[in-house]
């Protein structure tokens, strides 16, 4: 089932998400719905807070970029109870980011190029590794959602001020989107 993407201003996007246990109700269906929602919205990552659930579940599909980034051919993963343990701040990169919860807003964001992460997969098998490059950026972006942060929290106060009217329009439901959304209701 395709779920609506929660738009900037929705309180759930600013909550710290909770770890879950293997007996979380209908987890397999939720993950399936998240994959379907991600595909429909033509994104590469989706965190549970973006569909209104303050739990630590993320899906990332980099296979859609494999024509340009062949190293991600077949890369489609679920990250449950994901946490960034450490960042290697010795090397950073500034690249443009967008977000399904912030339609039509794109900004350059500076992030470490290497991170140490821990998570469990859909079978609740534990994983811990250092991740580099583009995947590290995507994971940081999606895992930020689990901490109640968004990519705009990483831009300068001046840039934030310059996009202020766009952010306000989002909170007022004044935007266009090709995918199903859940705007803020006043």
């Amino acid at each position: 089932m395709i779920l609506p993407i929660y738009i900037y201003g929705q309180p759930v996007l600013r909550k710290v998400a909770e770890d879950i246990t293997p007996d979380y109700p209908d987890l397999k269906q939720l993950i399936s719905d998240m994959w379907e929602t991600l595909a429909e919205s033509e994104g590469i990552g989706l965190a549970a807070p973006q569909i209104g659930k303050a739990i630590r579940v993320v899906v990332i599909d980099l296979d859609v970029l494999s024509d340009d980034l062949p190293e991600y051919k077949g890369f489609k993963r679920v990250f449950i109870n994901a946490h960034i343990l450490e960042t290697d701040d010795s090397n950073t990169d500034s690249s443009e980011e967008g977000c399904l919860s912030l339609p039509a807003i794109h900004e350059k964001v500076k992030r470490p190029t290497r991170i140490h992460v821990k998570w469990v997969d859909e079978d609740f098998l534990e994983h811990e590794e250092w991740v580099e490059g583009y995947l590290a950026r995507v994971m940081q972006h999606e895992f930020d959602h689990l901490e109640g942060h968004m990519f705009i929290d990483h831009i300068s106060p001046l840039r934030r001020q310059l996009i202020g009217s766009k952010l306000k329009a989002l909170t007022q439901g004044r935007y266009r989107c090709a995918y199903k959304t859940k705007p803020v209701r006043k």
Side-chain angles (χ1 to χ4, degrees):
M1 174 171 61
I2 296 168
L3 304 169
I5 305 283
Y6 280 53
I7 299 298
Y8 175 79
Q10 285 280 5
V12 69
L13 294 173
R14 293 305 190 173
K15 285 185 180 172
V16 175
E18 310 246 336
D19 281 352
I20 62 170
T21 58
D23 61 350
Y24 185 85
D26 301 317
L27 180 59
K28 288 203 182 308
Q29 183 61 52
L30 174 68
I31 291 169
S32 174
D33 292 347
M34 287 178 72
W35 283 124
E36 197 175 338
T37 301
L38 181 64
E40 177 70 17
S41 60
E42 297 182 356
I44 58 172
L46 182 67
Q50 293 180 276
I51 55 161
K53 301 203 174 291
I55 58 172
R56 298 185 87 86
V57 178
V58 168
V59 296
I60 295 177
D61 179 1
L62 295 184
D63 184 62
V64 297
L65 304 175
S66 62
D67 287 348
D68 295 324
L69 300 168
E71 64 270 30
Y72 295 118
K73 180 81 178 146
F75 186 97
K76 204 173 165 182
R77 280 198 204 150
V78 177
F79 300 88
I80 299 171
N81 299 342
H83 294 272
I84 296 175
L85 302 175
E86 186 180 354
T87 58
D88 178 356
D89 297 323
S90 64
N91 194 16
T92 59
D93 175 55
S94 189
S95 289
E96 191 171 275
E97 292 186 20
C99 181
L100 296 173
S101 293
L102 292 154
I105 296 178
H106 297 85
E107 291 290 328
K108 276 198 175 267
V109 178
K110 184 178 176 182
R111 294 192 187 267
T113 58
R114 187 168 177 261
I115 59 172
H116 186 199
V117 293
K118 178 176 90 170
W119 76 94
V120 296
D121 60 28
E122 55 267 66
D123 296 318
F124 278 76
L125 298 173
E126 286 192 30
H127 300 268
E128 184 178 323
E129 67 179 289
W130 280 93
V131 178
E132 298 184 25
Y134 190 69
L135 177 57
R137 172 171 295 279
V138 174
M139 289 173 97
Q140 287 172 84
H141 177 105
E142 296 306 330
F143 296 1
D144 269 358
H145 283 297
L146 305 179
E147 301 298 335
H149 302 299
M150 302 180 85
F151 81 87
I152 56 171
D153 299 336
H154 298 286
I155 62 177
S156 72
L158 176 60
R159 286 299 313 156
R160 182 84 182 241
Q161 190 175 9
L162 290 171
I163 64 168
S165 62
K166 290 181 183 179
L167 294 174
K168 185 176 182 183
L170 291 177
T171 64
Q172 295 173 343
R174 294 185 291 116
Y175 60 89
R176 288 189 187 187
C177 239
Y179 47 88
K180 194 167 150 183
T181 64
K182 184 166 177 79
V184 177
R185 299 276 185 239
K186 299 269 176 185

